[in-house]
Amino acid sequence: MADLQKSKHPRQQPRSHQVVKATTAVTTGGSLLVVSSLTFTATVILLTVATPLLIIFSPVIVPAVITIYLLLMGFLASGGFGVTGITVMSWMYRYVTGRHPPGAEQLDQAGMKLVGKAREMKERGEQFGLQAAQ
């Protein structure tokens, strides 16, 4: 009964902690808003300055940007797939050698469920075959 009453009333923090948390949140939020507005302003100014140059050089710049973008995305995808492959191979090696990496228990449980369902389906198939033969 006492545990139930304790869970209904969460422990109150001292007033000073609440003030410090609020002050920190306001300071951090305000700083981020200032940085965001400065970044937006700089972007608008640079876009205004760069627009005439982009219009003049667009027949050359657009295909170059597209090519560079495709190359960068290809390299990034390749690197991501490589890191993923190495991670998976490392996990599999640890699993096979018995070091029990994270998620190994879940994998074992899923395997046991599949084996159980396979046996159940086999038994149902045999029963269905016997019923059909009669």
Side-chain angles (χ1 to χ4, degrees):
M1 183 72 175
D3 291 336
L4 183 61
Q5 290 176 349
K6 286 181 183 177
S7 65
K8 286 183 180 178
H9 301 291
R11 198 181 105 193
Q12 294 291 325
Q13 294 181 346
R15 185 88 169 144
S16 61
H17 284 133
Q18 292 175 348
V19 170
V20 168
K21 284 182 178 180
T23 305
T24 304
V26 168
T27 304
T28 304
S31 299
L32 291 174
L33 281 174
V34 168
V35 169
S36 174
S37 64
L38 289 174
T39 304
F40 178 73
T41 304
T43 303
V44 169
I45 291 170
L46 287 174
L47 185 62
T48 304
V49 170
T51 299
L53 294 174
L54 288 174
I55 291 173
I56 293 170
F57 295 111
S58 66
V60 175
I61 291 177
V62 171
V65 168
I66 291 172
T67 303
I68 291 171
Y69 173 78
L70 290 175
L71 284 171
L72 287 176
M73 290 301 109
F75 284 130
L76 286 174
S78 173
F81 292 143
V83 169
T84 303
I86 289 171
T87 303
V88 168
M89 289 171 54
S90 170
W91 188 92
M92 289 172 57
Y93 176 76
R94 283 186 276 154
Y95 180 75
V96 169
T97 56
R99 295 186 190 161
H100 296 293
E105 291 81 20
Q106 292 174 338
L107 182 65
D108 292 338
Q109 289 175 357
M112 295 304 291
K113 284 183 182 179
L114 283 173
V115 168
K117 287 294 180 182
R119 284 188 188 133
E120 183 181 329
M121 293 306 293
K122 178 182 174 185
E123 291 171 2
R124 284 186 183 179
E126 289 174 352
Q127 290 175 357
F128 182 73
L130 291 175
Q131 289 176 354
Q134 292 177 356

